[in-house]
Amino acid sequence: MKTTLGKAAWPFVPLTILLLSVGCATQKYSAARYQAAQHRFGAIELPAHKKLYLCPTIDRIDPRCRKTLDPSFTPWTHATDAFEQELKSSGLVPARPGFAFGPSFDSLKQMVAEKADKSENAVYLGTELLWLSLRQWTVDAVLLSPSGQVLFEKRGICVIYGGADADAQTVTHMAIRQILADPKFKQALL
């Protein structure tokens, strides 16, 4: 069966597509406050033999992702808070370093090597947020010694495809837990 639109309807088809796409583009993503995953997956058991410094997350979000975020939403604060809550639910009390660093792991390594107290039994956890959305979370992590030596590094990524219900909390939990539950991360804390 062949169906055709009348000639009068054709100008409205592109206009309808444009309006629908603009409507989708104006919806901006802003994550709710992060809640630790222990109620869903159980707390991650982490050794507390070293003092853990949690460095604020480096915001290196892909520009394509940034376009989908609400302008008032601060991804690096959200990511740092998420890591802090997961660490606390695991029994660790992360401290914040008393120094600032630039927008890369190289600058973090340099500042840790220069500013960290070498006599302290400590480690420094740095994270770089690469993608944050309702269906995807991508974050790199590096754990450094006070001399700036890399003890552990890993990328945590969770992507939900298809028609599955997307839950920003679950996506975040899964990406962070890939890092914190890694046996090599735990070993580096001993």
Side-chain angles (χ1 to χ4, degrees):
M1 176 180 194
K2 184 177 177 184
T3 59
T4 58
L5 290 175
K7 288 182 183 181
W10 278 110
F12 296 106
V13 172
L15 180 62
T16 303
I17 292 170
L18 176 66
L19 289 174
L20 288 174
S21 65
V22 169
C24 295
T26 59
Q27 211 173 20
K28 297 290 185 176
Y29 173 72
S30 181
R33 183 161 169 80
Y34 183 79
Q35 298 296 316
Q38 67 184 16
H39 68 284
R40 282 187 177 177
F41 308 112
I44 301 166
E45 291 185 28
L46 295 173
H49 295 103
K50 295 184 179 177
K51 184 171 185 172
L52 177 68
Y53 285 94
L54 177 61
C55 302
T57 298
I58 298 166
D59 183 350
R60 294 186 24 128
I61 291 184
D62 185 289
R64 292 171 297 162
C65 175
R66 192 168 301 284
K67 289 178 186 177
T68 67
L69 302 178
D70 188 299
S72 65
F73 177 62
T74 52
W76 67 270
T77 303
H78 179 75
T80 303
D81 181 54
F83 270 96
E84 187 170 49
Q85 287 191 48
E86 283 300 331
L87 290 166
K88 285 181 178 179
S89 74
S90 298
L92 297 178
V93 182
R96 298 289 174 98
F99 54 80
F101 54 91
S104 69
F105 279 158
D106 288 336
S107 64
L108 174 60
K109 290 175 194 174
Q110 180 182 352
M111 291 308 295
V112 168
E114 290 175 10
K115 304 283 185 178
D117 181 353
K118 306 302 183 243
S119 65
E120 190 174 33
N121 187 23
V123 289
Y124 294 80
L125 178 61
T127 55
E128 285 183 338
L129 186 58
L130 306 173
W131 196 278
L132 176 146
S133 72
L134 189 63
R135 293 184 175 269
Q136 180 177 344
W137 233 77
T138 306
V139 63
D140 287 343
V142 64
L143 192 66
L144 304 170
S145 72
S147 64
Q149 174 190 3
V150 175
L151 303 172
F152 169 83
E153 58 187 335
K154 184 168 185 153
R155 173 168 287 174
I157 183 168
C158 178
V159 181
I160 297 176
Y161 290 107
D165 289 340
D167 176 0
Q169 293 286 329
T170 300
V171 174
T172 308
H173 292 161
M174 293 173 75
I176 290 177
R177 290 175 72 88
Q178 287 173 24
I179 294 165
L180 301 184
D182 190 304
K184 292 178 183 175
F185 179 77
K186 295 178 183 183
Q187 185 65 34
L189 294 177
L190 293 175

